[in-house]
Coordinates of all heavy atoms in Angstrom, one line a residue:
M6 N 94.6 101.7 80.8 CA 94.3 101.9 82.2 C 95.6 101.7 83.1 O 96.3 100.8 82.8 CB 93.3 101.0 82.8 CG 92.8 101.4 84.1 SD 91.5 100.2 84.8 CE 92.7 98.9 85.5
W7 N 95.8 102.6 84.0 CA 97.1 102.5 84.8 C 96.7 102.0 86.1 O 95.7 102.1 86.7 CB 97.6 104.0 84.9 CG 98.0 104.6 83.6 CD1 97.3 105.6 82.9 CD2 99.3 104.4 82.9 NE1 98.0 105.8 81.8 CE2 99.1 105.2 81.8 CE3 100.3 103.5 83.1 CZ2 100.2 105.2 80.8 CZ3 101.4 103.5 82.2 CH2 101.3 104.4 81.0
E8 N 97.8 101.2 86.5 CA 97.6 100.5 87.8 C 98.9 100.5 88.6 O 100.0 100.6 87.9 CB 97.4 99.0 87.6 CG 96.0 98.7 87.2 CD 95.7 97.2 87.0 OE1 96.4 96.7 86.1 OE2 95.0 96.7 87.7
Y9 N 98.9 100.7 89.8 CA 100.1 100.5 90.6 C 100.0 99.1 91.3 O 99.1 98.5 91.6 CB 100.2 101.7 91.7 CG 99.0 101.7 92.6 CD1 99.0 101.0 93.8 CD2 97.9 102.5 92.3 CE1 97.9 101.0 94.6 CE2 96.9 102.5 93.2 CZ 96.9 101.8 94.3 OH 95.8 101.8 95.1
K10 N 101.4 98.7 91.6 CA 101.4 97.4 92.2 C 102.8 97.4 93.0 O 103.8 97.9 92.5 CB 101.5 96.4 91.0 CG 101.8 95.0 91.4 CD 101.7 94.1 90.1 CE 102.2 92.7 90.3 NZ 101.5 92.0 91.5
N11 N 102.7 96.7 94.2 CA 103.9 96.5 94.9 C 104.6 95.2 94.4 O 104.2 94.1 94.7 CB 103.6 96.3 96.4 CG 104.8 96.0 97.3 OD1 106.0 96.2 96.7 ND2 104.4 95.7 98.4
I12 N 105.6 95.3 93.6 CA 106.2 94.1 92.9 C 107.1 93.4 93.9 O 107.6 92.2 93.5 CB 107.0 94.5 91.6 CG1 108.0 95.4 91.9 CG2 106.0 94.8 90.5 CD1 109.2 95.3 91.0
M13 N 107.3 93.9 95.1 CA 108.0 93.1 96.1 C 107.3 91.8 96.4 O 107.8 90.7 96.6 CB 108.2 93.9 97.4 CG 109.1 93.3 98.4 SD 110.7 92.9 97.7 CE 111.8 94.2 98.4
E14 N 105.9 91.8 96.3 CA 105.1 90.6 96.5 C 105.5 89.6 95.5 O 105.6 88.5 95.9 CB 103.6 91.0 96.3 CG 103.1 92.0 97.5 CD 101.6 92.2 97.3 OE1 100.9 91.6 96.5 OE2 101.1 93.0 98.0
D15 N 105.6 89.8 94.3 CA 105.9 89.0 93.3 C 107.4 88.4 93.5 O 107.6 87.2 93.3 CB 105.8 89.6 91.9 CG 104.5 89.8 91.4 OD1 103.5 89.4 92.1 OD2 104.3 90.4 90.4
M16 N 108.2 89.3 93.8 CA 109.5 88.9 93.9 C 109.8 88.0 95.1 O 110.6 87.1 95.1 CB 110.5 90.2 94.1 CG 110.6 91.0 92.8 SD 111.8 92.3 92.7 CE 111.3 93.4 94.0
V17 N 109.1 88.2 96.3 CA 109.2 87.3 97.4 C 108.6 86.0 97.0 O 109.2 85.0 97.5 CB 108.4 88.0 98.6 CG1 108.3 87.1 99.7 CG2 109.2 89.2 99.2
E18 N 107.5 86.0 96.3 CA 107.0 84.7 95.9 C 108.0 83.9 95.1 O 108.1 82.7 95.2 CB 105.7 84.9 95.1 CG 104.4 85.3 95.9 CD 103.8 84.1 96.7 OE1 104.3 82.9 96.6 OE2 102.8 84.3 97.3
E19 N 108.6 84.6 94.1 CA 109.5 84.0 93.3 C 110.7 83.4 94.0 O 111.1 82.3 93.8 CB 110.0 85.0 92.3 CG 110.8 84.4 91.1 CD 111.3 85.5 90.1 OE1 110.7 86.6 89.8 OE2 112.6 85.4 89.8
I20 N 111.2 84.2 94.9 CA 112.4 83.6 95.7 C 112.0 82.4 96.6 O 112.7 81.5 96.9 CB 113.0 84.8 96.6 CG1 113.5 86.0 95.6 CG2 114.2 84.3 97.4 CD1 114.6 85.7 94.6
Y21 N 110.7 82.6 97.2 CA 110.2 81.5 98.0 C 110.2 80.2 97.2 O 110.6 79.1 97.8 CB 108.8 81.9 98.5 CG 108.1 80.9 99.3 CD1 108.3 80.6 100.7 CD2 107.3 79.9 98.7 CE1 107.8 79.5 101.3 CE2 106.7 78.8 99.3 CZ 106.9 78.7 100.7 OH 106.4 77.7 101.3
E22 N 109.6 80.3 95.9 CA 109.5 79.1 95.1 C 110.9 78.5 94.8 O 111.0 77.2 94.9 CB 108.9 79.4 93.9 CG 107.3 79.5 93.9 CD 106.5 78.4 94.5 OE1 106.9 77.3 94.1 OE2 105.6 78.6 95.3
K23 N 111.8 79.3 94.6 CA 113.2 79.0 94.4 C 113.9 78.2 95.6 O 114.7 77.4 95.4 CB 114.1 80.2 93.9 CG 114.6 80.0 92.5 CD 115.1 81.3 92.1 CE 116.6 81.6 92.5 NZ 117.1 82.8 91.9
N24 N 113.5 78.6 96.8 CA 114.1 78.2 98.0 C 113.4 77.4 98.9 O 113.9 77.0 100.0 CB 114.7 79.4 98.8 CG 115.7 80.2 98.1 OD1 116.9 79.6 98.0 ND2 115.5 81.3 97.5
K25 N 112.1 77.0 98.5 CA 111.3 76.3 99.5 C 111.9 75.0 100.1 O 111.6 74.7 101.2 CB 109.9 76.3 99.1 CG 109.6 75.3 97.9 CD 108.1 75.3 97.7 CE 107.7 74.6 96.4 NZ 106.3 74.9 96.0
E26 N 112.6 74.3 99.3 CA 113.2 73.1 99.7 C 114.3 73.4 100.9 O 114.3 72.7 101.9 CB 114.0 72.3 98.6 CG 113.0 71.3 98.0 CD 112.4 71.6 96.7 OE1 113.2 71.9 95.8 OE2 111.2 71.7 96.7
N27 N 115.1 74.4 100.6 CA 116.1 74.9 101.6 C 115.4 75.4 102.9 O 116.0 75.3 104.0 CB 117.0 76.0 101.1 CG 117.7 75.5 99.8 OD1 118.1 74.2 99.7 ND2 118.0 76.4 99.0
L28 N 114.2 76.0 102.8 CA 113.6 76.5 103.9 C 113.0 75.5 104.8 O 112.9 75.8 106.0 CB 112.5 77.6 103.6 CG 113.0 78.8 102.8 CD1 111.7 79.5 102.1 CD2 113.8 79.7 103.5
A29 N 112.7 74.3 104.3 CA 112.4 73.1 105.1 C 111.2 73.5 105.9 O 111.3 73.0 107.1 CB 113.5 72.6 105.7
C30 N 110.3 74.2 105.5 CA 109.1 74.7 106.4 C 108.0 73.9 105.8 O 107.9 73.5 104.7 CB 109.0 76.1 106.4 SG 107.9 76.6 107.8
C31 N 106.9 73.9 106.6 CA 105.6 73.3 106.1 C 105.1 74.2 104.9 O 105.2 75.3 104.8 CB 104.6 73.5 107.3 SG 102.9 72.8 106.7
D32 N 104.6 73.4 103.8 CA 104.2 73.9 102.6 C 102.7 74.2 102.4 O 102.2 74.4 101.4 CB 104.9 73.2 101.5 CG 104.9 73.9 100.2 OD1 105.0 75.2 100.2 OD2 104.8 73.3 99.1
C33 N 102.0 74.0 103.6 CA 100.5 74.3 103.6 C 100.2 75.7 103.2 O 101.1 76.6 103.4 CB 99.9 73.8 104.7 SG 99.9 74.9 106.2
P34 N 99.0 76.0 102.6 CA 98.7 77.4 102.3 C 98.8 78.4 103.4 O 99.2 79.5 103.3 CB 97.2 77.3 101.8 CG 97.1 75.8 101.5 CD 97.9 75.0 102.3
R35 N 98.5 77.9 104.6 CA 98.5 78.9 105.8 C 99.9 79.3 106.1 O 100.3 80.4 106.3 CB 97.9 78.2 107.0 CG 97.8 79.1 108.3 CD 97.1 80.4 108.2 NE 97.6 81.5 108.8 CZ 97.1 82.0 110.0 NH1 96.0 81.4 110.4 NH2 97.6 83.0 110.6
C36 N 100.8 78.2 106.2 CA 102.1 78.5 106.5 C 102.9 79.4 105.4 O 103.7 80.3 105.7 CB 103.0 77.2 106.7 SG 102.5 76.4 108.2
H37 N 102.6 79.0 104.1 CA 103.1 79.7 103.0 C 102.7 81.2 103.1 O 103.7 82.0 103.0 CB 102.4 79.2 101.7 CG 102.8 79.9 100.4 ND1 103.6 79.4 99.5 CD2 102.3 81.1 99.9 CE1 103.7 80.3 98.5 NE2 103.0 81.3 98.8
C38 N 101.5 81.5 103.4 CA 101.0 83.0 103.5 C 101.7 83.6 104.8 O 102.2 84.8 104.7 CB 99.6 83.0 103.7 SG 98.7 82.8 102.2
D39 N 101.9 82.9 105.8 CA 102.5 83.4 107.0 C 104.0 83.8 106.8 O 104.4 84.9 107.2 CB 102.4 82.5 108.2 CG 101.1 82.4 108.8 OD1 100.4 83.4 108.7 OD2 100.8 81.4 109.6
I40 N 104.7 82.9 106.0 CA 106.0 83.3 105.7 C 106.3 84.5 104.8 O 107.0 85.3 104.9 CB 106.8 82.0 105.1 CG1 106.8 80.9 106.1 CG2 108.2 82.3 104.5 CD1 107.2 79.5 105.4
I41 N 105.4 84.4 103.8 CA 105.4 85.5 102.8 C 105.1 86.9 103.5 O 105.7 87.8 103.3 CB 104.4 85.3 101.6 CG1 104.7 84.0 100.8 CG2 104.4 86.5 100.7 CD1 105.9 84.0 100.0
A42 N 104.0 86.8 104.3 CA 103.6 88.0 105.0 C 104.7 88.6 105.9 O 105.0 89.7 105.9 CB 102.4 87.8 105.8
Y43 N 105.4 87.7 106.7 CA 106.5 88.0 107.5 C 107.5 88.7 106.7 O 108.1 89.7 107.0 CB 107.1 86.8 108.2 CG 108.3 87.3 109.1 CD1 108.2 87.6 110.4 CD2 109.6 87.3 108.4 CE1 109.3 87.9 111.2 CE2 110.6 87.6 109.2 CZ 110.5 87.9 110.5 OH 111.6 88.4 111.3
A44 N 108.0 88.1 105.6 CA 109.1 88.6 104.7 C 108.6 90.1 104.2 O 109.5 91.0 104.2 CB 109.3 87.6 103.6
L45 N 107.3 90.1 103.8 CA 106.9 91.5 103.2 C 106.9 92.5 104.2 O 107.2 93.7 103.9 CB 105.6 91.2 102.6 CG 105.6 90.6 101.2 CD1 104.1 90.3 100.8 CD2 106.3 91.5 100.1
N46 N 106.7 92.2 105.5 CA 106.7 93.2 106.5 C 108.1 93.6 106.8 O 108.2 94.7 107.6 CB 106.0 92.5 107.9 CG 104.5 92.8 107.7 OD1 104.0 93.6 107.0 ND2 103.7 91.9 108.4
H47 N 109.0 92.9 106.5 CA 110.5 93.2 106.8 C 111.3 93.6 105.7 O 112.5 93.8 105.7 CB 111.1 92.0 107.5 CG 110.6 91.8 108.9 ND1 109.3 91.1 109.1 CD2 111.0 92.2 110.1 CE1 109.1 91.1 110.4 NE2 110.1 91.7 111.1
L48 N 110.6 93.8 104.5 CA 111.3 94.3 103.3 C 110.7 95.6 102.8 O 109.6 95.8 103.1 CB 111.2 93.2 102.2 CG 112.0 92.0 102.5 CD1 111.5 90.9 101.6 CD2 113.5 92.2 102.3
P49 N 111.5 96.5 102.1 CA 110.9 97.7 101.7 C 109.9 97.4 100.5 O 110.2 96.5 99.7 CB 112.1 98.5 101.1 CG 113.1 97.5 100.8 CD 113.0 96.3 101.8
P50 N 108.8 98.1 100.5 CA 107.8 97.8 99.3 C 108.4 98.5 98.1 O 109.3 99.5 98.2 CB 106.6 98.6 99.7 CG 107.0 99.7 100.7 CD 108.3 99.2 101.4
H51 N 108.1 98.0 97.0 CA 108.5 98.6 95.6 C 107.4 98.8 94.6 O 107.0 97.8 94.0 CB 109.6 97.7 95.0 CG 110.9 98.1 95.6 ND1 111.7 99.2 95.1 CD2 111.7 97.5 96.5 CE1 112.7 99.2 95.8 NE2 112.9 98.3 96.8
Y52 N 106.8 99.8 94.7 CA 105.7 100.2 93.9 C 106.1 100.6 92.5 O 107.0 101.4 92.3 CB 104.7 101.2 94.5 CG 103.9 100.7 95.6 CD1 104.4 100.6 97.0 CD2 102.7 100.0 95.3 CE1 103.6 100.0 97.8 CE2 101.9 99.5 96.3 CZ 102.4 99.4 97.6 OH 101.7 98.9 98.6
V53 N 105.4 100.0 91.5 CA 105.6 100.5 90.1 C 104.4 100.5 89.4 O 103.3 100.1 89.9 CB 106.6 99.4 89.3 CG1 108.0 99.3 89.8 CG2 105.9 98.0 89.4
V54 N 104.3 101.3 88.2 CA 103.2 101.5 87.6 C 103.1 100.6 86.4 O 104.1 100.5 85.5 CB 103.1 102.9 87.1 CG1 101.8 103.1 86.1 CG2 102.9 103.8 88.3
S55 N 102.0 99.8 86.3 CA 101.6 98.9 85.2 C 102.8 98.0 84.7 O 103.5 97.4 85.4 CB 100.9 99.6 84.1 OG 101.9 100.3 83.3
Q56 N 102.9 97.9 83.4 CA 103.8 97.0 82.7 C 105.3 97.1 83.0 O 106.0 96.0 82.8 CB 103.6 96.9 81.2 CG 102.2 96.7 80.7 CD 101.5 97.9 80.4 OE1 101.8 98.9 80.9 NE2 100.5 97.8 79.6
A57 N 105.7 98.0 83.7 CA 107.0 98.3 84.0 C 107.5 97.2 85.1 O 108.6 97.1 85.2 CB 107.3 99.7 84.5
G58 N 106.5 96.7 85.7 CA 106.8 95.7 86.9 C 107.7 94.6 86.6 O 108.8 94.4 87.4
A59 N 107.5 93.9 85.6 CA 108.3 92.6 85.3 C 109.8 93.0 85.1 O 110.7 92.4 85.5 CB 107.7 91.9 84.1
L60 N 109.9 94.0 84.2 CA 111.3 94.5 84.0 C 112.0 95.0 85.1 O 113.2 94.7 85.4 CB 111.3 95.7 82.9 CG 112.5 96.1 82.3 CD1 113.3 95.0 81.5 CD2 112.4 97.3 81.4
Y61 N 111.3 95.8 86.0 CA 111.8 96.3 87.1 C 112.3 95.1 88.2 O 113.4 95.2 88.7 CB 110.8 97.2 87.9 CG 111.4 97.9 89.1 CD1 111.9 99.1 89.1 CD2 111.4 97.3 90.4 CE1 112.6 99.8 90.2 CE2 112.0 97.8 91.5 CZ 112.6 99.1 91.4 OH 113.2 99.8 92.5
A62 N 111.4 94.2 88.3 CA 111.7 93.1 89.1 C 113.0 92.4 88.7 O 113.9 91.9 89.5 CB 110.6 92.1 89.2
K63 N 113.1 92.1 87.3 CA 114.3 91.5 86.7 C 115.6 92.2 87.2 O 116.5 91.7 87.7 CB 114.1 91.4 85.3 CG 114.6 90.0 84.7 CD 114.3 90.0 83.2 CE 113.8 88.6 82.7 NZ 113.2 88.7 81.5
T64 N 115.5 93.6 87.0 CA 116.7 94.4 87.2 C 117.0 94.4 88.7 O 118.2 94.3 89.1 CB 116.4 95.9 86.8 OG1 115.9 95.8 85.5 CG2 117.7 96.7 86.7
Y65 N 115.9 94.5 89.6 CA 116.1 94.5 91.1 C 116.9 93.3 91.5 O 117.8 93.2 92.3 CB 114.7 94.6 91.7 CG 114.8 94.9 93.2 CD1 115.0 96.3 93.7 CD2 114.7 93.9 94.1 CE1 115.1 96.5 95.0 CE2 114.9 94.1 95.4 CZ 115.0 95.4 95.9 OH 115.1 95.7 97.3
L66 N 116.4 92.1 90.9 CA 116.9 90.9 91.4 C 118.3 90.6 90.9 O 119.0 89.6 91.3 CB 115.9 89.7 91.1 CG 114.7 89.8 92.0 CD1 113.7 88.6 91.5 CD2 115.0 89.6 93.5
M67 N 118.7 91.2 89.8 CA 120.1 91.1 89.3 C 121.1 91.5 90.3 O 122.2 91.0 90.3 CB 120.2 91.8 88.1 CG 120.0 91.0 86.8 SD 120.0 91.7 85.2 CE 120.3 93.3 85.3
N68 N 120.7 92.3 91.3 CA 121.6 92.8 92.4 C 121.6 91.6 93.4 O 120.4 91.5 94.1 CB 121.1 94.1 93.0 CG 121.9 94.6 94.0 OD1 122.6 93.8 94.9 ND2 122.0 95.9 94.2
K69 N 122.7 90.9 93.5 CA 122.7 89.8 94.5 C 122.3 90.1 95.9 O 121.7 89.3 96.6 CB 124.0 89.0 94.4 CG 124.2 88.2 93.1 CD 123.2 87.0 93.0 CE 123.0 86.7 91.7 NZ 121.7 86.0 91.5
Q70 N 122.8 91.3 96.3 CA 122.3 91.7 97.7 C 120.8 91.8 97.9 O 120.3 91.4 98.9 CB 123.0 93.2 97.9 CG 122.8 93.6 99.4 CD 123.5 92.7 100.4 OE1 124.6 92.3 100.2 NE2 122.7 92.3 101.4
H71 N 120.1 92.3 96.8 CA 118.7 92.2 97.0 C 118.2 90.9 97.1 O 117.3 90.7 98.0 CB 118.1 93.1 95.8 CG 118.4 94.5 95.7 ND1 118.3 95.2 94.6 CD2 118.6 95.4 96.7 CE1 118.6 96.4 94.8 NE2 118.7 96.6 96.1
E72 N 118.6 90.0 96.3 CA 118.2 88.6 96.5 C 118.5 88.0 97.7 O 117.6 87.3 98.3 CB 118.7 87.8 95.2 CG 118.0 86.4 95.2 CD 118.6 85.6 94.0 OE1 119.1 86.1 93.0 OE2 118.2 84.4 94.1
M73 N 119.7 88.3 98.3 CA 120.0 87.8 99.6 C 119.1 88.4 100.7 O 118.8 87.7 101.7 CB 121.6 88.1 99.9 CG 122.4 86.9 99.4 SD 124.1 87.3 99.1 CE 124.6 88.6 100.3
D74 N 118.8 89.6 100.6 CA 117.8 90.3 101.6 C 116.5 89.6 101.7 O 116.0 89.3 102.7 CB 117.7 91.8 101.2 CG 118.9 92.7 101.5 OD1 119.8 92.1 102.2 OD2 118.9 93.8 101.0
I75 N 116.0 89.2 100.5 CA 114.7 88.6 100.4 C 114.8 87.2 101.0 O 114.0 86.7 101.7 CB 114.2 88.6 99.0 CG1 113.9 90.0 98.4 CG2 112.8 87.7 98.9 CD1 113.5 90.2 96.9
T76 N 115.9 86.5 100.6 CA 116.2 85.1 101.1 C 116.3 85.1 102.6 O 115.7 84.2 103.2 CB 117.4 84.5 100.4 OG1 117.3 84.6 99.0 CG2 117.6 83.1 100.7
A77 N 117.0 86.2 103.1 CA 117.2 86.2 104.6 C 115.8 86.5 105.2 O 115.6 85.8 106.3 CB 118.2 87.2 104.9
A78 N 115.0 87.3 104.6 CA 113.7 87.6 105.4 C 112.8 86.3 105.4 O 112.2 86.0 106.3 CB 112.9 88.7 104.6
L79 N 112.9 85.6 104.1 CA 112.1 84.3 104.1 C 112.6 83.3 105.1 O 111.9 82.6 105.7 CB 112.2 83.8 102.7 CG 111.4 84.5 101.7 CD1 111.7 84.1 100.3 CD2 109.9 84.3 101.9
A80 N 113.9 83.3 105.3 CA 114.5 82.3 106.2 C 114.1 82.6 107.6 O 113.7 81.7 108.4 CB 116.0 82.3 106.1
K81 N 114.1 83.9 108.0 CA 113.7 84.2 109.4 C 112.2 83.9 109.6 O 111.7 83.4 110.5 CB 113.9 85.7 109.6 CG 115.2 86.1 110.1 CD 115.1 87.5 110.5 CE 116.6 88.1 110.5 NZ 116.5 89.7 110.5
G82 N 111.4 84.3 108.5 CA 109.9 84.0 108.7 C 109.6 82.6 108.7 O 108.8 82.1 109.5
S83 N 110.4 81.7 108.0 CA 110.0 80.1 108.0 C 110.5 79.6 109.3 O 109.9 78.8 109.8 CB 110.7 79.5 106.8 OG 112.0 79.6 106.8
L84 N 111.5 80.2 110.0 CA 112.1 79.7 111.2 C 110.9 80.0 112.2 O 110.5 79.2 113.1 CB 113.3 80.5 111.6 CG 114.1 79.8 112.7 CD1 114.6 78.4 112.2 CD2 115.3 80.6 113.2
L85 N 110.3 81.3 112.2 CA 109.3 81.7 113.1 C 108.0 80.8 112.9 O 107.4 80.3 113.9 CB 108.9 83.1 112.8 CG 108.5 84.0 114.0 CD1 109.6 84.4 114.8 CD2 107.7 85.2 113.4
V86 N 107.7 80.6 111.7 CA 106.5 79.7 111.4 C 106.7 78.3 111.8 O 105.8 77.6 112.4 CB 106.1 79.8 109.9 CG1 105.0 78.8 109.5 CG2 105.7 81.2 109.6
K87 N 107.8 77.9 111.6 CA 108.3 76.5 112.0 C 108.1 76.2 113.5 O 107.6 75.3 114.0 CB 109.7 76.1 111.6 CG 109.8 74.8 110.9 CD 111.3 74.4 110.8 CE 111.8 75.2 109.6 NZ 113.3 74.9 109.3
N88 N 108.5 77.3 114.2 CA 108.4 77.2 115.7 C 107.0 77.5 116.3 O 106.7 76.9 117.3 CB 109.4 78.1 116.3 CG 110.8 77.8 116.1 OD1 111.1 76.6 115.9 ND2 111.7 78.7 116.1
H89 N 106.3 78.3 115.5 CA 104.9 78.7 116.0 C 103.9 78.6 114.8 O 103.4 79.6 114.3 CB 104.8 80.1 116.5 CG 105.9 80.3 117.6 ND1 105.6 80.0 118.9 CD2 107.1 80.9 117.6 CE1 106.7 80.3 119.6 NE2 107.6 80.8 118.8
P90 N 103.6 77.4 114.3 CA 102.7 77.1 113.1 C 101.3 77.5 113.5 O 100.9 77.3 114.7 CB 102.9 75.6 112.8 CG 103.5 75.1 114.0 CD 104.2 76.1 114.7
H91 N 100.7 78.1 112.6 CA 99.3 78.5 112.9 C 98.2 77.6 112.1 O 97.0 77.8 112.1 CB 98.9 79.9 112.2 CG 99.5 81.0 113.0 ND1 100.3 82.0 112.5 CD2 99.5 81.1 114.4 CE1 100.6 82.8 113.5 NE2 100.3 82.4 114.6
H92 N 98.7 76.5 111.5 CA 97.9 75.6 110.7 C 97.2 74.6 111.8 O 97.6 74.5 112.9 CB 98.6 74.8 109.7 CG 99.9 74.1 110.2 ND1 100.9 73.9 109.5 CD2 100.1 73.5 111.4 CE1 101.8 73.1 110.2 NE2 101.3 72.9 111.4
Ligands
ZN22 ZN1 101.5 74.4 107.6

């Protein structure tokens, strides 16, 4: 069975996990989702078909500029959530 998937979601989660101490934001489920949603709304989607996803994400993140773009979107999102938390 073929499936499509926006692997930007996985990549944003991965970078979030790596940087959450630096982001110094509330780690409750609501704030977590608000930060991820903000970042995803400000990054281009990357749809891939089925198992190609993991490999594509690895290659995409090898480009440091891509990783920095995701980190920057997460930093902006966490600042916004810190100032206006919904929890
Ligand atoms: Zn919170």
